[in-house]
Every structure is written in structure tokens, then in C-alpha cells.
Amino acid sequence: MKKFSIGVLGAGTWGMALARMLTVSGNDVQVWSAIEAEVDNLSTTRVHPNLPGMVIPQELRFTKSIEEVCTGKDVLLFAVPSVFVRSTAAKARPYIRSGQIIVDVAKGIEPDTLYTMTEILADELSHENGPRAVRLVALSGPTHAEEVALDLPTTIVSASPDLEAAEVVQEVFSNTCMRVYTNTDIKGVELSGAMKNVIALGVGISTGLGYGDNARAALITRGIAEIARLGVAMGCNVQTFAGLAGIGDLIVTATSMHSRNNRAGILIGKGESPEQAVKEVGMVVEGINALPAAMELAEKYHVEMPIAQTVNAIVKEGMSASDALRNLMSRDRKSEMPQGYESV
Ligand SMILES: NC(=O)c1ccc[n+]([C@@H]2O[C@H](COP(=O)([O-])OP(=O)(O)OC[C@H]3O[C@@H](n4cnc5c(N)ncnc54)[C@H](O)[C@@H]3O)[C@@H](O)[C@H]2O)c1
């Protein structure tokens, strides 16, 4: 199998779990972080503080230079949290060359522009001194870093309208523990990845309130229905939402204690403020970051998203979780969904 030269931007849990996996598969991998102390720490201890069971192979190289991590690589992996994708792309822009494959694994929607992560990359890299014709791919699915770090079986979707690029990424990331599927509906894949975090936050809140499996199943099922409804209004393929990057990712996020969105939701459901909950979880909670964009998209595309709106009322407007969920259950009945989904 052909081996690739890969630059990873971001040394959080996901960037490092993937960097280790790609190194073990025989690729030449270099990781950059915006935080210099993080590079020093990871390169000397060979352990990530949030992935304690994972050993970082000696062959995996680190750099503090964004120029070095971008130069001469077949593939660049953007693995910073969504709020840093634009600033990281702006720093990397002078060193990215035309034709390079750029993979994004961050999940989110930019407030104001309402861009997906690859749309931010396309926008930022198209500035005057930027490269021409980079090949953008979104890699998304039901994947917890904690499990990939231990080589547990995982599936993921390589999405791009440029199917050839998606297939190269499929080849790069495939191994006996990781099975990679392709999809040309990049927008549907990215929208799912961002919006499922909002629904998972709601599932966590429900659990924190002491509600049971019936409520969890309802929120997951009706949650994917409202994500699909938004996606279809935005021109995505409805089948994407029934796949790994859609319902698959929502299930893993809404049912696992590895998920920060689920964990933060549980704390909020138990009565902590959103600020306290984020502090306690201690890492980025993408579902909270995605809420403003979710509300703007629902309004722009005239789509009802009652679960997302309920989560927003709790997290952003300070409504009590129990009142908000009671309102959700007793809201007006009306036909909400196009064919194929149940009406209320
Ligand atoms: N963790 C997972 O299991 C997982 C799985 C799939 C997708 N994702 C997505 O990947 C993205 C990253 O997640 P994560 O779990 O690695 O997050 P994380 O909280 O572990 O990432 C923190 C890292 O972000 C980087 N960073 C911090 N400040 C920065 C700055 N100013 N500029 C640039 N980089 C900076 C640093 O390398 C830091 O270690 C998120 O969008 C997340 O939704 C995560």
C-alpha cells in the first residue's frame, strides 16, 4: 500500500488519536500545535493528557512551525476545534500549495457566515496569496478519539464532491481497525456533524433531569428528523442523515460518556449553569458553540427544529430545563415532516 506524507494541524484528542493511527499504518506524520508548550509536552512524554492509555510512537514527529507542517505533505488534516479553523487556515495559507488534499475533522458551523468547516477553509484559502484548487474533504462519523486511540473498530465517512479526493482519503485512513466509506454529499455530512452535538446536549439534559431510555430514544429519533429536515431544505441528500455521519454519529454522541456534549448536558440537566458545565467538562463543547448557527439556519430555511430550539432556550436563554422539556412535550401538534417520517 502506498504510504503518505501527512501534516496534522491541532494536537487535541482527535488530532493525536488520528496522528498515532496514521503513523502506525506506516505513514510519515508530523503534528503542529498553536500551543508551543503542548508540542514540548507531547514530544517528550509521548502521552496525551486526555488519552492516557495511548502511547505516541517515536516515529511521529512534532513541530512548532506551521510552515514546516504544511510543506511537502500529500495530505493536511485540520483537527483544531471549530472556533480555530478560520484562524489556523489563515496562518497556514501561505504554505499550502495548489492540489494538496485538505481534510477537515472539526465539527461545527460558523456563526454569521453559516459556513461549514470546509466552506471556511475554501473561503480563507482563496484569499489573494492563497493556493488555487485545493481539494477539500470532510471526514466525519461515529468516532470517539478514546476508542480510535486503542485501535477499537471504527467507521467513518470521507465526503467530498471531488470523489477522487474522497477516495484518496479513504485509502489513507483505511486499516484493519478503521473502515472508511465515501459520500459526495459533503454539506449533509458536515451539517450532521455539527447539529448532532446540539441534539446530544439535549439528550444529556434529559438524562440529567432523570428521564429514561424512552426519552433518549425519542430525542435521538426526532433529533435526526429535524436535522434531516434542515438538510433537505438546504439541498442535501436525505439518505446522508440515515448513514454513519448522520444517525450513526448522533447515536454515538448521545449515548456515550466519552461525549462532552452528552456530559455537559447531564450537568446542565442536574442544575449546573452552562458555564459551570463547560468548565467541568474541561474541553471544547461543540454543541454549545453550534447553537447560534443552528438557530440562524432554522430561521433562514424556515424549518422547525423544536429540540434544538429547546436546547437553545435552556443554554442561551436561561430557561429551566424541566420547564423547557415540558414545553417540548406539550407544544402545538402540527404536521412537521415531509413523507417518510411520522407526523404529529
Ligand atoms: N475528540 C473526538 O473524539 C472527536 C471525534 C470527531 C471529531 N472531533 C472534532 O474534532 C475537533 C477537535 O476536537 P478535539 O477533541 O481534538 O478537541 P480538543 O479540545 O482536544 O482540542 C484542543 C486542541 O486545540 C488546539 N488549540 C487550542 N487553542 C488553539 C488555537 N488558538 N489555535 C489553534 N489550535 C488551538 C490545541 O492543539 C489543543 O490541544 C472538534 O471540532 C471536534 O468536534 C472530535
Side-chain angles (χ1 to χ4, degrees), residues 107 109 116 140 185-199 224 227-228 231 236-237 240-247 249-250 253:
K107 293 173 178 173
I109 303 276
T116 63
S140 186
D185 179 21
I186 190 168
K187 186 103 169 182
V189 164
E190 292 194 271
L191 187 71
S192 299
M195 292 300 152
K196 57 96 195 192
N197 286 328
V198 172
I199 305 297
I224 199 67
I227 296 172
C236 306
N237 180 350
T240 297
F241 304 98
L244 289 169
I247 188 67
D249 200 1
L250 178 54
T253 311

Side-chain angles (χ1 to χ4, degrees), residues 1-9 18-19 22-23 25-31 59 61 67-77 97 99-103 168-169 171-173:
M1 196 173 78
K2 181 175 176 230
K3 296 303 170 193
F4 296 86
S5 175
I6 301 163
V8 179
L9 293 90
L18 289 172
L22 292 165
T23 307
S25 317
N27 298 290
D28 177 24
V29 184
Q30 186 170 40
V31 174
E59 308 82 68
R61 296 174 296 120
E67 176 175 2
E68 197 184 329
V69 81
C70 295
T71 306
K73 306 296 194 299
D74 304 312
V75 175
L76 291 181
L77 183 67
R97 64 167 166 74
Q100 238 168 343
I101 291 182
I102 314 230
V103 182
V168 173
V169 172
E171 188 187 341
V172 172
F173 285 81

Side-chain angles (χ1 to χ4, degrees), residues 10-94:
T13 53
W14 196 213
M16 284 309 302
L18 289 172
R20 182 210 66 97
M21 184 195 83
L22 292 165
T23 307
V24 171
S25 317
N27 298 290
D28 177 24
V29 184
Q30 186 170 40
V31 174
W32 166 89
S33 168
I35 304 168
E36 297 203 344
E38 189 170 55
V39 171
D40 291 333
N41 187 39
L42 292 170
S43 56
T44 50
T45 64
R46 312 306 289 186
V47 178
H48 190 284
N50 294 324
L51 298 170
M54 181 183 89
V55 177
I56 299 170
Q58 287 302 330
E59 308 82 68
L60 200 168
R61 296 174 296 120
F62 290 90
T63 180
K64 297 175 182 175
S65 158
I66 200 161
E67 176 175 2
E68 197 184 329
V69 81
C70 295
T71 306
K73 306 296 194 299
D74 304 312
V75 175
L76 291 181
L77 183 67
F78 271 73
V80 295
S82 63
V83 287
F84 301 127
V85 168
R86 187 175 282 283
S87 56
T88 304
K91 280 194 241 170
R93 183 170 59 229

Side-chain angles (χ1 to χ4, degrees), residues 246-263:
I247 188 67
D249 200 1
L250 178 54
I251 290 171
V252 86
T253 311
T255 59
S256 170
M257 287 307 282
H258 288 314
S259 162
R260 299 154 207 180
N261 296 284
N262 189 26
R263 290 205 315 266

Side-chain angles (χ1 to χ4, degrees), residues 111-338:
D112 303 329
T113 63
L114 302 181
Y115 286 163
T116 63
M117 297 295 109
T118 62
E119 286 169 349
I120 294 177
L121 290 172
D123 180 46
E124 203 52 54
L125 298 178
S126 66
H127 287 205
E128 216 175 305
N129 64 343
R132 294 285 160 257
V134 291
R135 308 177 77 188
L136 292 164
V137 176
L139 192 64
S140 186
T143 56
H144 286 312
E146 292 81 353
E147 295 189 3
V148 171
L150 301 176
D151 281 333
L152 299 183
T154 299
T155 54
I156 200 162
V157 179
S158 170
S160 180
D162 175 351
L163 186 58
E164 249 182 57
E167 285 173 349
V168 173
V169 172
Q170 179 180 41
E171 188 187 341
V172 172
F173 285 81
S174 290
N175 56 62
T176 53
C177 304
M178 174 79 77
R179 184 166 180 84
V180 187
Y181 294 76
T182 59
N183 188 341
T184 52
D185 179 21
I186 190 168
K187 186 103 169 182
V189 164
E190 292 194 271
L191 187 71
S192 299
M195 292 300 152
K196 57 96 195 192
N197 286 328
V198 172
I199 305 297
L201 204 51
V203 173
I205 292 172
S206 165
T207 306
L209 282 167
Y211 301 161
D213 296 343
N214 296 355
R216 183 177 303 115
L219 288 167
I220 291 173
T221 311
R222 295 306 307 169
I224 199 67
E226 69 184 53
I227 296 172
R229 187 158 52 213
L230 176 64
V232 168
M234 292 171 70
C236 306
N237 180 350
V238 72
Q239 288 185 317
T240 297
F241 304 98
L244 289 169
I247 188 67
D249 200 1
L250 178 54
I251 290 171
V252 86
T253 311
T255 59
S256 170
M257 287 307 282
H258 288 314
S259 162
R260 299 154 207 180
N261 296 284
N262 189 26
R263 290 205 315 266
I266 291 173
L267 294 171
I268 295 168
K270 284 186 170 159
E272 290 196 11
S273 69
E275 295 72 28
Q276 274 174 307
V278 170
K279 220 171 171 184
E280 206 160 308
V281 168
M283 293 187 276
V284 64
V285 179
E286 293 285 22
I288 293 183
N289 296 339
L291 272 170
M295 294 304 97
E296 281 185 62
L297 284 171
E299 197 179 328
K300 181 171 174 191
Y301 289 94
H302 309 291
V303 168
E304 291 228 15
M305 301 192 72
I307 299 171
Q309 278 149 355
T310 300
V311 174
N312 190 64
I314 298 166
V315 173
K316 298 286 186 192
E317 294 163 9
M319 185 182 271
S320 97
S322 52
D323 286 353
L325 279 165
R326 207 172 305 115
N327 291 351
L328 180 66
M329 289 297 282
S330 56
R331 72 192 188 282
D332 279 351
R333 279 173 292 177
K334 58 184 129 172
S335 184
E336 284 182 340
M337 196 54 209

